[in-house]
Structure formats: C-alpha cells, structure tokens
Amino acid sequence: MSTVTAAPVGALSGTLRVPPDKSITHRAILLAAISDRTVRVTAPLDSADTAATLNAVEACGVRVEGHLGDEIVVHGVGRLGLRPPPAIDCANAGTLMRLLPALLVGVPCDHVILDGDDSLRRRPMSRIARPLRAMGAALFTAPGGTAPLVVSGGTPLKGMRHELQVASAQVKSCILLAGLGAEGPTWVHEPTPSRDHTERMLTAAGVGVVRDGDDVGVLGRCESLSLPDLRVPGDFSSAAFHLVAGTLLADPEVRLEGVNLNPLRAGLLDVMRRMGADVTVEEGEPVAGEPCGTLIVRRSRGLTATEVEPHEVAAMIDELPLIGVLGAMAAGTTTVRGAAELRVKESDRITAVVDALTGMGVRAAELEDGFSVTGGERIPGGTIDARGDHRLAMLGAIAGLASVDGVAIDGFEAVAVSYPGFVADLRSIGGVA
Ligand code: S3P
C-alpha cells in the first residue's frame, strides 16, 4: 500500500485536458463488441476499470486492436456473437459487472461466473438480478445479493416496465440492454433521471430509444446494432477534483479542456456556484453526441455553506464527496441529504468522507442519508485512509493542497481505477501531491 502526502501549495494555474470519460469508455467497448461492424474508439480511458471491460469482451471472443488511452478498433461480433468463458473478472468495475450480464443473458452460455475484488463483492447486485429474472433471465447472485454472479444465457426474455427505487444509470442501462433481446417493449422509470450515456449511444447505434413521460424504453428485439466510430470526451468526474482545487487555489485560473458537460453529470456546477465558486463554461462542439466544453475556474474567497437536496443527488452522485471539501472551506454548515446510495459505492462513501474530513481536523458528521460539514478558515490537515476508493484518494490530495499541514493518504494507488495520471496532471498546474 502506498502513502502519498499532499503538501500545501500557494496557488494553482494552467491548462489541463482531463482523462477520457470512464462511463462512456465502458459503454463504448461493450456496445462496440455487440455491434455488427468494426468500431474505432478514439481516446478510450486507460485505467484499471476500463482495462477490465476490455479484457472481458476479449475473453468473450471479441478481437480488439490497439491500446486504451490511444485508440482501439473493436471487431464487433453482433448482439448474439459473444462467447463467454466460464469466469470473468470484473475487478473493481461496478459498471462492467452491472452491464455485461445484460449482454450475456441473450447468448447461449451456461453457468458463467462474474466476480470482482473485495470492494465489488460488497456492492448490491440484486438490483440487476431481480429485474432481469423478472424478464425471464437466469441470473443469480451469492446469498446477500452480491457477487459472484452466475449467468446462464439464452432463455427467452419478455419486455416489461420496471420502476426503480433509486436513480441508477447502471441499473437502467442493464435493463435497457437486456431489453434489446426481449419480446415487446422494456420500460424503465427512475425517481430522478440518471446519466443517459447508454441512451445516447444506443440511439447513435440505430436503436429506437423511446420516452413516455418520465419513462425511457426500447421497443423490443433489436436485430442489428451499428455503433459509429467515436471519440471519448473528457470525464467531468475527473475534472471535478481540479474544479474544487481551483476554487480553493487557482490564481489566476485553471482551464479544463474537452470536458463532457452532460447536464445529468454536471450537477456539481450548480451547487458550486451557489456556494460562491467562480466557474465559467465555454461551450465547444459536441463529442460522441455529448455536450462538451472548457471549464475555467478561479479561486473564490468567501464560500458559503449550502444544502444539497435529494433531487440534486443523481446528477452529481460521484462528486458528492467533494462537497465535503468545499463545505470544509465554506462559512456555515453544509449538508448533503437523500444520498444513501453513497453507502454502496466503491466504499461506504458517507462514513469514508466523514472519517476523512475528521482525520484532517474538519468538523463533519454522518447522517443516515448523507453528511454535514462545518467550515472553517483552513483545513488543518492529517492522515486519511483511501479504503481502496479512487475518489477518496483524490479527495485527500485536493484537501491537502489547501490545508495547513498537508494530508497523507494511505492507499493512494487506488487512483489507478479511474485516473492513473492524476498526480502528473496536478503537478502540471502547480500541485505537489
Ligand atoms: C455509473 C453510474 C453511477 C456512478 C458510477 C458510474 C455509470 O452508478 O456512481 O461511478 O457508468 O453508469 P449508479 O448507476 O449505481 O448510480
């Protein structure tokens, strides 16, 4: 386990191109694999998580040329062409473990085991197994509703309407993808809308994605899928660390180029602005059917506390921990509510964020469905444990830059899951992590 110390710095400045979007890279590889054509994916994210997805499709018989981070050419085998091996390792990748079964239930296979690391094995999988079984699939979890999963494919699937209890793009995507092999329409209703990358990509691939009020659906069996070549835009969730660092330290400014600004991902911007952050958006050309642009952030003195409401949570689900860091530097008490989902991410991100903040000398408290943090002049500093969670490791580094004594992060190597170049990027704008 590696420990990295983020020492305080005076100011950050410069221009960064953040890494490609993790969610879109997973989807591009999976949808390219089941396309009827050869798909060129430019700038797919090179990280541990996306490597797991690439390995998984190759293990299912899909030929892939090239390298993540540069360009890959995926020789799609069609929706019914995957031939899974007896076991697939999903590593730490929740998106892979929740989307791949939807593709496997449609192809002839018997007793395929999907497993992952300790963190993934703790995460709830009944949320995909139940709806897929209701459609007729043979997909089973371990007792307790967790991985390993066992899939036997080829049973007839029937479309139906699913009402999700929590907004989840992974569950919605899984159900819609299973719906491509079902008889009749498959509908998903979410309490609030979650990221829609799957819907955008399916539409680009020629699949009719339909809406009925708040429901989204696919209309039945899809004989052919034809994903066009695509470039992966920059990841808003990775940009978010620099946005927060910049709000605390950018002078004169930090520019983040080529960032995906999908409104169902970029909810953090609204919350930051009402706390008093200075973030400007320069809209650019869409990339892969996603709105993209440059974010410019300048240091803000005098941040004020805010309340993040339950309806805001889905559009900033992975950025909520960063509200803890902003809240630590804002006047008053900031609260996040309606975010119980954070308990079932790569770590229990409610407990983990509160422990991290208190470990840095910040006043923070757990709520059942969120957390509260009371701001001060500076973050004192201290030691935190990343708990195998990439986003927690990066949060510690950002907080350390703005702290009095620095922050030491145990288990910093977790950053490789989504952002292996994090330290190099931070250094390039003046941060010494
Ligand atoms: C993701 C959706 C979100 C998010 C995760 C990636 C995706 O999870 O937290 O990091 O790629 O669809 P949920 O769908 O479980 O909310």
Side-chain angles (χ1 to χ4, degrees):
M1 189 161 85
S2 70
T3 300
V4 162
T5 300
V9 295
L12 301 174
S13 69
T15 300
L16 274 185
R17 189 158 271 273
V18 295
D21 192 288
K22 182 157 82 70
S23 288
I24 293 177
T25 302
H26 282 302
R27 286 159 171 78
I29 296 170
L30 293 171
L31 292 190
I34 60 162
S35 278
D36 289 328
R37 64 185 294 271
T38 293
V39 183
R40 186 175 292 273
V41 181
T42 304
L45 173 68
D46 185 6
S47 72
D49 239 34
T50 47
T53 294
L54 188 61
N55 290 342
V57 301
E58 286 183 317
C60 291
V62 178
R63 193 160 69 82
V64 182
E65 294 169 274
H67 300 284
L68 292 174
D70 177 17
E71 188 162 81
I72 54 171
V73 175
V74 182
H75 296 271
V77 292
R79 200 176 55 74
L80 301 177
L82 297 179
R83 291 295 172 265
I88 295 175
D89 181 8
C90 298
N92 189 248
T95 306
L96 174 60
M97 187 169 269
R98 294 204 176 113
L99 268 56
L100 183 59
L103 308 184
L104 300 185
V105 294
V107 301
C109 64
D110 192 23
H111 211 86
V112 176
I113 297 171
L114 276 75
D115 207 350
D117 67 10
D118 288 346
S119 154
L120 192 53
R121 273 185 166 207
R122 283 193 295 269
R123 301 183 65 185
M125 293 298 152
S126 302
R127 51 179 64 191
I128 59 155
R130 282 209 191 101
L132 262 49
R133 277 206 302 270
M135 293 171 76
L139 169 61
F140 300 93
T141 67
T146 51
L149 304 181
V150 180
V151 187
S152 296
T155 55
L157 301 181
K158 228 178 131 28
M160 57 184 288
R161 181 174 183 271
H162 303 263
E163 191 137 349
L164 305 191
Q165 299 308 308
V166 285
S168 165
Q170 292 177 351
V171 177
K172 172 180 64 176
S173 300
C174 174
I175 293 171
L176 293 177
L177 291 173
L180 301 181
E183 194 197 314
T186 297
W187 294 101
V188 181
H189 178 88
E190 293 185 288
T192 48
S194 63
R195 63 189 72 185
D196 59 357
H197 308 310
T198 302
E199 295 93 303
R200 287 174 190 251
M201 218 178 271
L202 281 177
T203 305
V207 175
V209 176
V210 285
R211 296 209 164 261
D212 180 7
D214 291 339
D215 290 11
V216 60
V218 291
L219 288 179
R221 200 162 287 126
C222 154
E223 295 313 333
S224 129
L225 209 100
S226 180
L227 185 68
D229 294 348
L230 66 104
R231 168 178 288 277
V232 180
D235 197 320
F236 183 88
S237 298
S238 297
F241 294 98
H242 304 297
L243 275 183
V244 171
T247 296
L248 305 182
L249 293 162
D251 189 8
E253 64 183 30
V254 169
R255 294 175 71 86
L256 305 165
E257 292 181 343
V259 182
N260 183 355
L261 299 173
N262 183 321
L264 295 171
R265 291 289 296 280
L268 177 70
L269 293 180
D270 296 334
V271 176
M272 285 181 70
R273 285 196 182 115
R274 69 175 190 253
M275 293 181 85
D278 178 355
V279 185
T280 311
V281 176
E282 278 175 9
E283 280 172 32
E285 290 297 309
V287 178
E290 302 269 346
C292 285
T294 297
L295 295 168
I296 301 139
V297 60
R298 299 183 185 89
R299 183 199 303 245
S300 304
R301 301 193 194 268
L303 293 176
T304 51
T306 192
E307 287 177 20
V308 177
E309 306 280 346
H311 71 268
E312 297 180 299
V313 159
M316 54 183 297
I317 186 72
D318 291 337
E319 290 66 67
L320 289 170
L322 284 168
I323 297 294
V325 177
L326 289 169
M329 296 286 279
T333 297
T334 293
T335 55
V336 172
R337 301 305 304 246
E341 267 302 282
L342 290 181
R343 294 210 182 270
V344 292
K345 293 296 177 187
E346 285 84 330
S347 65
D348 174 341
R349 284 188 179 153
I350 293 180
T351 302
V353 166
V354 170
D355 285 355
L357 291 170
T358 46
M360 299 171 198
V362 173
R363 273 168 60 203
E366 274 193 45
L367 306 170
E368 206 176 310
D369 61 347
F371 58 87
S372 69
V373 50
T374 301
E377 292 275 291
R378 294 284 298 274
I379 295 169
T383 300
I384 73 162
D385 179 355
R387 301 177 188 209
D389 186 334
H390 53 130
R391 299 204 195 278
L392 214 67
M394 292 186 277
L395 174 150
I398 296 305
L401 300 182
S403 70
V404 178
D405 293 328
V407 171
I409 306 115
D410 291 337
F412 191 77
E413 68 280 356
V415 300
V417 161
S418 65
Y419 197 163
F422 176 71
V423 168
D425 279 356
L426 205 52
R427 277 209 180 110
S428 77
I429 55 168
V432 268

